[in-house]
Amino acid sequence: MHPISIISLGPGDPELITLKGLRRLRQADAIYCPATVQPDGSLASRAADILRALDIDLAAIRPFPVAMRDDRAAALADYGAAVERIAAECAEGRRVAVTAEGDAGFYSSSGYVSALLAERGLSTERIAGIPAFVACAASEGVVIAEQTEETDVLTTLASADELLGRVAAGRSVVLMKPSRYAPAVKEALAQAPDGVAFHYFEHAGADAERAFYSCRRDAILERRFPYFSLLIVRRG
């Protein structure tokens, strides 16, 4: 039985997938992509959009719904249902892949799928990818860290003081999913001294109409942070 490939797609730009990842996609008979259910009942999947841009055989793409709620019980049930389908295809001798945006080992929901597959005794291989914050920084020539500077990657923030304290201590900070704690981020924007630089990104790797970048505090304060947004904060 072939190992199941957990393939990192990168942040959204189809050209930022690795050669190894692309080769595994082309070898796969079935490619499972997480998707969200739209109000009309259809499935929307950024991962599937990337595959289509890479000219992957449409017949191989298998979007599966994942509930996007703070209560993870529904999402875990969705992952379990997808794993049932994956296991059945593996049993029939097909080469199966599961996609993940960014890097599959970095704050990725593909970890749930990997764990469930391991419980079934199914072997997997994980193909590394480019995390969104690395691609964002490169797109605007932003340095994330240098020399002995340490970097903190956060997915939650208790207060503005926490963020400003980390920067004052000489750390650079990457804020992932800031829509979850936007008030604390905006309070930090208003309070930070002039020497602190804020780099804000939306929809990294998306088309030019949706992608957005600013390092102006007033412009960032006006934004309503979407799910696909992040900030890099460090001393200027």
Side-chain angles (χ1 to χ4, degrees), residues 77-95:
D78 289 334
Y79 292 128
V83 166
E84 292 283 346
R85 295 170 59 192
I86 291 168
E89 298 220 50
C90 288
E92 294 177 3
R94 296 190 179 95
R95 291 181 180 269

Side-chain angles (χ1 to χ4, degrees), residues 97-121:
V98 180
T99 62
E101 293 176 52
D103 177 80
F106 190 79
Y107 295 117
S108 173
S109 59
S110 64
Y112 297 114
V113 175
S114 297
L116 292 171
L117 292 170
E119 289 176 5
R120 287 175 168 268

Side-chain angles (χ1 to χ4, degrees), residues 23-188:
R23 184 169 68 252
R24 288 289 189 274
L25 288 173
R26 289 172 173 167
Q27 292 170 341
D29 302 305
I31 306 170
Y32 283 78
C33 304
T36 54
V37 180
Q38 302 302 292
D40 63 359
S42 64
L43 294 179
S45 171
R46 279 170 49 114
D49 290 343
I50 294 170
L51 297 183
R52 286 188 281 268
L54 292 169
D55 293 326
I56 299 300
D57 183 4
L58 296 180
I61 300 174
R62 312 271 199 277
F64 64 92
V66 178
M68 299 297 288
R69 298 198 293 267
D70 289 338
D71 177 7
R72 301 304 292 164
L76 290 174
D78 289 334
Y79 292 128
V83 166
E84 292 283 346
R85 295 170 59 192
I86 291 168
E89 298 220 50
C90 288
E92 294 177 3
R94 296 190 179 95
R95 291 181 180 269
V96 181
V98 180
T99 62
E101 293 176 52
D103 177 80
F106 190 79
Y107 295 117
S108 173
S109 59
S110 64
Y112 297 114
V113 175
S114 297
L116 292 171
L117 292 170
E119 289 176 5
R120 287 175 168 268
L122 296 170
S123 62
T124 62
E125 61 167 354
R126 191 169 76 203
I127 311 300
I130 299 173
F133 74 91
V134 173
C136 285
S139 70
E140 297 295 334
V142 174
V143 174
I144 299 172
E146 55 190 348
Q147 297 181 9
T148 59
E149 188 176 10
E150 297 179 352
T151 302
D152 297 334
V153 181
L154 308 179
T155 58
T156 186
L157 189 68
S159 67
D161 288 343
E162 179 189 355
L163 173 58
L164 297 178
R166 290 173 185 266
V167 176
R171 291 180 168 86
S172 63
V173 182
V174 176
L175 299 175
M176 308 285 291
K177 304 177 182 179
S179 59
R180 295 178 173 178
Y181 47 91
V185 176
K186 292 192 175 183
E187 185 179 347

